[in-house]
Amino acid sequence: ADLAVQRQGLAESGELPALEVLARKFGLRPFERDLLLLCWALEEDPAFSWLCAYVQDDAHARFVTPHLALGLLCGDQSDREEGRRAFLAGAPLRRFRLLALADDERGLPQSQRPLRLEERVAAYLRGSNVPDHKITFLLHPIPEAPIAGAQLAIVEGLLRWVQSLAAGEPWPPFFLTGPPGSGKHLVAREFCARLGLQLCRLEAKSLPLADSERHEFLHLLERETILSHLALYLDVSELDPGERPIMAAVRDWIERSGGVLFVGGRERWQTIRSVVHVTVPKPDAAAQRALWSASLEGISHTVDGQIEAIVQQFDLEPQLIPQAVNSAVDQARRRASGSVVQAEDLWQACREQVGWRLGDLAQRLEPCYSWEDIVLPEDVFRQLREIADQVAARPTVYETWGFGARLPRGRGITALFSGPSGTGKTMAAEILANHLKIDLYRIDLA
């Protein structure tokens, strides 16, 4: 009774002890909470081990068993019947791996098998909330990045959906679909941040293929999401349907996983569970401008007038924009003249972000020619200049004049150079790339 009064006082002051917090997080009943405390006593004070042996009249039984717990903590038969439910595999203590029931190695009935407090839970009760090392190496926190436009509207819509739910109502998985570069994981990350959750990426190919191992991992991870306020992001965009064991493991995970789960893919999968499906589009030009402005906020720079040209030339994924800004800042710091980011720094950083993706598909050429190096008839030379002017004028035509709204696709510039070998086709391409400060690649169509 005295402890109940103290507990109530701590609850009112917002200073709940770890055991009470744990009980509330996992929805434990009083018997389950007291059982945790009994097992923790053995962890903290060896004298309790001898008391267990004394009570059970067995010098070797220095542990808690279900039978002992029911005898100590239940007052009558009805309490004992209620208490037995705590030892079911689907009950919170075992489902969330708070307590472990020893394997049946000696043919003992379940009621006489040792109960052990999990190491992660014991540490939590001592006041140390450090994530479980057995699973954290598989989780990769998704870093913060700004979002804008349609992506931000999706987050706000999901928050309204949360507010419409009844208290305690479980959430289905969120299935986010959209093209590569749409920032699906950033939408999930911003949503989680608004709710005080840390979003971590779980690699689909790291899931155990054996059912027993995968289900054990699922329960451990489910416990960790509650203790560490985590949400999971599972990317299925690049999975090969031909890899059937991996596909089966991923589908099983989606069907069984608890907690807050986001699945990102190019298109929605058919699932038995109901899901919240959201289509995430790629950020348009206005959203990209907002992302650039947000990423440059607080940074000394002189690139405001170049944002339109950068947006038109580099259709960067949302998470790459802050990376480009950080790279530009590093370049500026290496200059002797100061650390003010200039348009050239940002332009070069964007080229670095997009250049590495072609891999073995193309050979990169280093443009070394300028307009003065090529000799052409006047009409052909004028055509090359018109190509350069058309690229330079894209921000004005598409944004200022509003033609971009009528041309949602195909905004690139394509030029066909024809003529015999040695007439200057490659040189002309190098001159244009050098003038426009963009990368040039040679692609062998064979």
Side-chain angles (χ1 to χ4, degrees), residues 1 90 197 251 333 376 411 420:
L197 300 173
R251 287 185 178 278
R333 287 172 176 169
L376 291 170
R411 297 188 185 186

Side-chain angles (χ1 to χ4, degrees), residues 149-341:
Q151 283 75 11
L152 186 57
I154 289 172
V155 171
E156 293 169 347
L158 289 176
L159 291 173
R160 288 192 292 270
W161 174 84
V162 171
Q163 294 171 356
S164 69
L165 297 179
E169 183 177 350
W171 295 3
F174 298 88
F175 213 114
L176 308 182
T177 60
S182 57
K184 298 182 287 291
H185 64 294
L186 297 182
V187 169
R189 197 261 175 214
E190 180 65 20
F191 171 76
C192 292
R194 300 280 190 95
L195 298 174
L197 300 173
Q198 169 69 59
L199 183 66
C200 292
R201 184 191 301 273
L202 175 63
E203 297 298 334
K205 292 186 178 182
S206 67
L207 295 178
L209 298 183
D211 289 347
S212 58
E213 294 180 13
R214 185 172 62 256
H215 296 162
E216 178 65 19
F217 177 53
L218 186 148
H219 290 302
L220 290 176
L221 195 50
E222 195 172 24
R223 181 187 70 192
E224 198 57 53
T225 58
I226 296 174
L227 291 178
S228 299
H229 303 283
L230 299 179
L232 300 180
Y233 184 87
L234 191 64
D235 191 350
V236 300
S237 302
E238 305 300 328
L239 292 182
D240 182 0
E243 296 181 337
R244 294 185 178 181
I246 294 177
M247 294 293 290
V250 172
R251 287 185 178 278
D252 180 66
W253 186 275
I254 295 173
E255 297 293 351
R256 295 175 180 270
S257 180
V260 182
L261 174 65
F262 289 87
V263 182
R266 299 174 188 266
E267 54 189 27
R268 180 179 172 180
W269 289 11
Q270 292 295 325
T271 58
I272 298 175
R273 294 178 70 180
S274 62
V275 300
V276 176
H277 176 237
V278 179
T279 301
V280 181
K282 290 191 68 173
D284 57 15
Q288 290 190 39
R289 287 195 299 271
L291 294 177
W292 281 110
S293 298
S295 299
L296 288 166
E297 189 174 351
I299 296 174
S300 180
H301 65 88
T302 59
V303 299
D304 283 334
Q306 296 293 318
I307 295 298
E308 289 288 352
I310 289 173
V311 168
Q312 291 299 325
Q313 182 60 48
F314 303 101
D315 186 17
L316 294 184
E317 301 175 12
Q319 69 271 19
L320 296 183
I321 292 177
Q323 294 180 22
V325 171
N326 291 336
S327 179
V329 170
D330 291 338
Q331 292 183 42
R333 287 172 176 169
R334 291 195 292 268
R335 285 197 306 270
S337 57
S339 58
V340 176
V341 175

